[in-house]
Amino acid sequence: MRIAIVAPDLPDEVIPTFPALTDAVRARPGLKFSVITGPEAAGWFRRHPDVDEVVVFDGTALLASRWTPEGWRAGRAWKEALRAHPQLEQCEYVIDPFGRPETLAMAKRVAATSVGIARPAKGRLPRRQPYDSQYPVPDDLHRVQAVRVLFAAVLEYSLHDLNPDYGLSIEAEPVVTDLLVDTDGLPFEQTGIELIRRRLAETGVSLDDVSAHPPGDMDEWQRRLTQSRYVLVGNNRCGWLAAALGIPGVCVCRDGEAKHDGVITTRRSRQKLINVDHPPMNQPEIVVESIIQVITQGKAPIELPEEPSSSPDGVEVTPERP
């Protein structure tokens, strides 16, 4: 059995879908996936062992009107992509877990039963039904679990374990770095980033800064993460890969974000990657001191910024004499 998945060209969105693929293959041995996505996300989908075909196509091109030259070119390119990948004709379902305009456009052009995911609070469903089947998902369900539920509903199997298995093979590397940090993913202003860098430098923590020295490919991403004792990341590709590989540390989320979108660590991890999404725990001064205390086993002094003076501007407050 083969299933097609249409996905936007967003690498940060790839890894959260992996547990659903692992579930499906365990429930339906021999199942294979063809993924249609853009060039940036394609390499990440190839990391999953049961994705044996990736069709690279810019789905946004299909949003052009069919009555324009851009639309004609996109239509011809789509037909050429289908001819180059005849296995797509074997697909029984085409599943769209994302519901974006470009994924909808691709799903409608695959000759299979098209299935879409629906979150009612995100807006009313279109009057013209775009999918053969749509599965409403509760709005308070985490996005990883929502995709797992979607696949289970389509293929008619039960989820007995809500702990995700991302299906990634992990070749453990010797630990060479105390902390891998991805400052690009942290939801802080530049002053907060500078505070974090200064405190880590003062404490002497060995650091791998992927924002300053980005990995060249997927293998390097995995190698550098597994060589790090802890991570300090945001809710992005780096954070999700760390969670999937079972690397402990802190994932800093925006206020209230963790419940629906925060990273979920794999069952294989003995220590979890913790989401923090409420003040003051998700503030830069608290985050950096917390991670320093973990790395140094509490031996480093804690340094928090001084509280600003509460006295009015220009007024000097004289402390009371005892």
Side-chain angles (χ1 to χ4, degrees):
M1 182 179 185
R2 179 171 294 275
I3 290 177
I5 301 171
V6 290
D9 194 20
L10 300 172
D12 291 359
E13 301 294 327
V14 173
I15 296 176
T17 66
F18 280 5
L21 309 187
T22 306
D23 293 339
V25 172
R26 286 177 176 168
R28 298 286 184 269
L31 177 66
K32 294 295 182 181
F33 296 99
S34 295
V35 177
I36 309 173
T37 189
E40 295 296 323
W44 290 95
F45 271 110
R46 292 189 181 103
R47 304 294 290 182
H48 196 282
D50 297 300
V51 174
D52 68 336
E53 181 180 46
V54 177
V55 181
V56 179
F57 190 86
D58 179 12
T60 58
L62 296 176
L63 301 178
S65 171
R66 299 188 182 190
W67 306 106
T68 63
E70 292 82 1
W72 301 336
R73 287 192 290 269
R76 287 195 298 268
W78 177 259
K79 292 178 181 178
E80 291 173 2
L82 294 183
R83 282 195 295 268
H85 297 271
Q87 290 193 92
L88 287 174
E89 297 180 359
Q90 304 171 12
C91 294
E92 296 185 29
Y93 296 99
V94 53
I95 299 181
D96 176 12
F98 301 95
R100 295 174 63 92
E102 64 268 33
T103 57
L104 172 59
M106 290 189 289
K108 291 194 299 184
R109 294 177 182 237
V110 176
T113 300
S114 57
V115 180
I117 193 167
R119 288 182 177 270
K122 301 299 180 183
R124 294 182 179 179
L125 298 179
R127 292 181 180 178
R128 183 178 179 181
Q129 180 62 271
Y131 300 107
D132 299 319
S133 300
Q134 258 180 324
Y135 291 91
V137 172
D139 294 305
D140 59 351
L141 193 62
H142 191 280
R143 60 172 173 161
V144 168
Q145 310 298 15
V147 179
R148 296 179 72 192
V149 168
L150 172 67
F151 277 69
V154 174
L155 298 177
E156 299 180 341
Y157 60 84
S158 299
L159 289 175
H160 300 290
D161 186 354
L162 291 182
N163 289 314
D165 185 343
Y166 295 84
L168 296 177
S169 60
I170 302 173
E171 296 182 4
E173 298 281 347
V175 173
V176 297
T177 307
D178 289 327
L179 181 69
L180 180 142
V181 60
D182 181 9
T183 56
D184 288 344
L186 299 176
F188 299 143
E189 301 290 340
Q190 187 59 37
T191 54
I193 300 297
E194 292 172 356
L195 168 67
I196 290 174
R197 291 186 187 279
R198 176 182 64 81
R199 283 293 294 135
L200 292 174
E202 291 173 351
T203 312
V205 171
S206 60
L207 198 64
D208 181 2
D209 189 342
V210 298
S211 303
H213 306 286
D217 55 28
M218 277 69 73
D219 288 334
E220 186 180 354
W221 272 103
Q222 181 163 326
R223 183 174 64 254
R224 287 169 64 176
L225 278 163
T226 56
Q227 286 178 340
S228 303
R229 184 170 286 107
Y230 298 97
V231 295
L232 175 55
V233 292
N235 191 1
N236 63 352
R237 181 193 331 174
C238 186
W240 276 103
L241 187 57
L245 297 174
I247 312 299
V250 176
C251 175
V252 186
C253 303
R254 294 177 176 82
D255 292 355
E257 183 182 54
K259 180 180 179 181
H260 300 99
D261 295 303
V263 300
I264 303 180
T265 304
T266 176
R267 72 174 73 186
R268 293 190 298 267
S269 177
R270 289 178 297 176
Q271 295 175 286
K272 303 298 183 183
L273 179 58
I274 301 171
N275 293 290
V276 291
D277 68 340
H278 289 290
M281 299 308 295
N282 66 341
Q283 301 304 307
E285 57 271 17
I286 303 296
V287 167
V288 70
E289 296 302 329
S290 299
I291 200 75
I292 287 172
Q293 292 301 302
V294 171
I295 293 173
T296 64
Q297 298 180 349
K299 297 178 181 178
I302 298 175
E303 179 182 301
L304 295 177
E306 295 181 1
E307 292 291 335
S309 173
S310 60
S311 59
D313 294 340
V315 178
E316 181 178 351
V317 178
T318 303
E320 296 182 1
R321 296 179 180 274

